[in-house]
């Protein structure tokens, strides 16, 4: 059998935790816990399969619109899990980075994300980019402001601004997303990595995130391998679809 092409950078919009819980008569918090448990297993599996970079949308700038109780639960869970990730990802040789605005985040959240990034910065097996208090519009505005400042200081020449240089001003300088997965059946990207997704293949399974397991990811890879990525060119390939 022909071997499957594994996407280099996979974006994951973790969605459907609340509906998963509601269907089971559980609280939204229990849905978030089930989603987080699944995420730990799934991401290690994805990297073992050969994915080099995962960008995970775990909390958007807009998610602050939710109840104080839900936001607090999510932030407490992030602090708790990320402390455990210090051990987990050091052992698994996975580097952790963050994308998002730091203002509005609690001091204990900032501390744990900084510790995790520092402690895993030399790891080489793969990268997980946690997008936390992340919004793509905010990222593009923040990048543009930094470019303006650097141009004014003479650090860069604005005439040399191109896609590569612009990318370096985003929260993280990562390769483009090849495959974007959003669980739960919503067909939208909700302000997630507009720049990085420009040529991504979109995959929108109906499964709620807590149920999106290893075999569901294998299915996503099979689907990805049926796509004909042309990047504006005309190199048709017979993918049987
Ligand atoms: C995703 O699940 C987790 C976050 C956005 C933090 P949701 O909480 O959005 O779940 P639904 O969409 O209400 O089912
Ligand atoms: C997107 O999910 C944000 C995250 C998964 C972190 P939402 O559940 O917040 O998105 P909408 O409101 O359905 O667009
Ligand atoms: Mg949702």
């Amino acid at each position: 059998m022909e071997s499957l092409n594994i996407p280099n950078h996979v974006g994951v919009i973790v969605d459907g935790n609340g509906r998963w819980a509601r269907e089971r008569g559980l609280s939204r918090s229990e849905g978030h816990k089930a989603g987080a448990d699944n995420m730990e297993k799934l991401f290690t599996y994805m990297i073992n399969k050969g994915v080099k970079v995962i960008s995970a949308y775990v909390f958007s700038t807009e998610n602050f619109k939710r109840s104080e109780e839900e936001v607090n639960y999510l932030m407490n869970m992030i602090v708790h899990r990320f402390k455990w990730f210090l051990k987990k990802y050091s052992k698994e040789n996975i580097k952790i980075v963050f994308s998002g605005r730091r203002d509005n985040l609690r001091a204990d959240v900032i501390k744990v994300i900084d510790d995790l990034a520092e402690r895993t910065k030399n790891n080489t097996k793969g990268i997980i980019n946690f997008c936390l208090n992340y919004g793509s519009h905010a990222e593009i505005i923040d990048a543009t402001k930094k470019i303006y400042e650097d141009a004014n200081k003479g650090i860069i020449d604005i005439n040399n601004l191109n896609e590569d240089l612009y990318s370096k001003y985003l929260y993280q300088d990562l390769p483009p997303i090849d495959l974007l997965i959003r669980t739960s059946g919503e067909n939208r990207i909700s302000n997630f990595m507009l720049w990085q997704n420009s040529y991504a293949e979109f995959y929108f399974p109906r499964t709620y995130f807590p149920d999106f397991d290893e075999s569901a990811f294998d299915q996503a890879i099979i689907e990805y391998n049926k796509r004909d990525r042309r990047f504006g060119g005309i190199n048709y390939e017979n993918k049987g679809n």
Side-chain angles (χ1 to χ4, degrees):
M1 201 182 90
E2 211 184 309
S3 70
L4 289 170
N5 184 14
I6 302 293
N8 184 50
H9 185 173
V10 178
V12 184
I13 302 177
V14 169
D15 198 17
N17 293 348
R19 280 163 285 167
W20 180 92
R22 194 177 56 196
E23 279 189 2
R24 286 161 180 76
L26 302 171
S27 65
R28 291 186 61 82
S29 304
E30 287 170 294
H32 292 313
K33 181 185 175 302
D37 287 344
N38 185 52
M39 193 163 72
E40 286 190 24
K41 272 191 276 168
L42 181 69
F43 287 1
T44 296
Y45 178 77
M46 286 166 66
I47 289 178
N48 285 337
K49 276 238 143 182
V51 172
K52 290 292 173 219
V53 185
I54 300 170
S55 285
Y57 201 11
V58 295
F59 194 91
S60 72
T61 47
E62 291 75 23
N63 287 148
F64 275 112
K65 291 179 191 160
R66 296 189 181 191
S67 72
E68 204 182 316
E69 185 195 350
E70 183 167 351
V71 171
N72 275 335
Y73 180 85
L74 285 165
M75 292 301 153
N76 290 339
M77 185 171 80
I78 284 164
V79 171
H80 185 78
R81 301 247 168 185
F82 283 13
K83 283 186 181 159
W84 143 242
F85 288 173
L86 287 168
K87 255 201 206 128
K88 174 179 166 65
Y89 292 123
S90 298
K91 204 166 120 206
E92 294 178 11
N93 192 22
I94 293 169
K95 176 174 168 175
I96 306 298
V97 298
F98 294 91
S99 291
R101 275 197 178 153
R102 294 165 73 89
D103 47 356
N104 290 339
L105 285 177
R106 290 176 356 196
D108 58 341
V109 176
I110 297 279
K111 183 171 177 343
V112 79
I113 64 181
D114 284 349
D115 284 352
L116 196 49
E118 177 59 30
R119 290 262 292 274
T120 61
K121 69 178 183 206
N122 296 321
N123 292 351
T124 55
K125 190 168 178 196
I127 300 174
I128 301 174
N129 172 35
F130 283 108
C131 300
L132 181 58
N133 195 21
Y134 177 86
S136 190
H137 286 176
E139 179 176 39
I140 289 169
I141 288 168
D142 290 350
T144 308
K145 283 183 178 163
K146 280 186 264 164
I147 290 167
Y148 178 79
E149 280 169 21
D150 280 1
N152 275 342
K153 288 185 202 148
I155 294 170
I156 57 163
D157 176 352
I158 203 70
N159 295 309
N160 294 337
L161 186 61
N162 59 17
E163 280 99 328
D164 281 348
L165 185 58
Y166 199 95
S167 296
K168 295 197 188 336
Y169 281 88
L170 296 172
Y171 295 134
Q172 298 294 336
D173 184 15
L174 296 171
I177 293 180
D178 300 294
L179 171 65
L180 176 71
I181 300 171
R182 180 182 188 142
T183 55
S184 88
E186 307 296 356
N187 300 313
R188 57 175 173 265
I189 61 173
S190 303
N191 202 13
F192 183 59
M193 296 190 126
L194 303 175
W195 176 278
Q196 298 87 337
N197 275 309
S198 58
Y199 269 105
E201 293 297 329
F202 288 1
Y203 182 65
F204 294 139
R206 299 188 66 80
T207 325
Y208 296 138
F209 187 74
D211 290 331
F212 190 83
D213 59 9
E214 288 93 335
S215 69
F217 179 71
D218 289 343
Q219 270 312 114
I221 294 300
I222 290 169
E223 172 61 29
Y224 176 74
N225 277 264
K226 290 184 189 157
R227 307 283 177 93
D228 198 0
R229 302 188 75 193
R230 294 196 286 275
F231 299 99
I234 47 169
N235 308 317
Y236 299 114
E237 276 177 41
N238 181 6
K239 295 275 185 173
N241 60 352

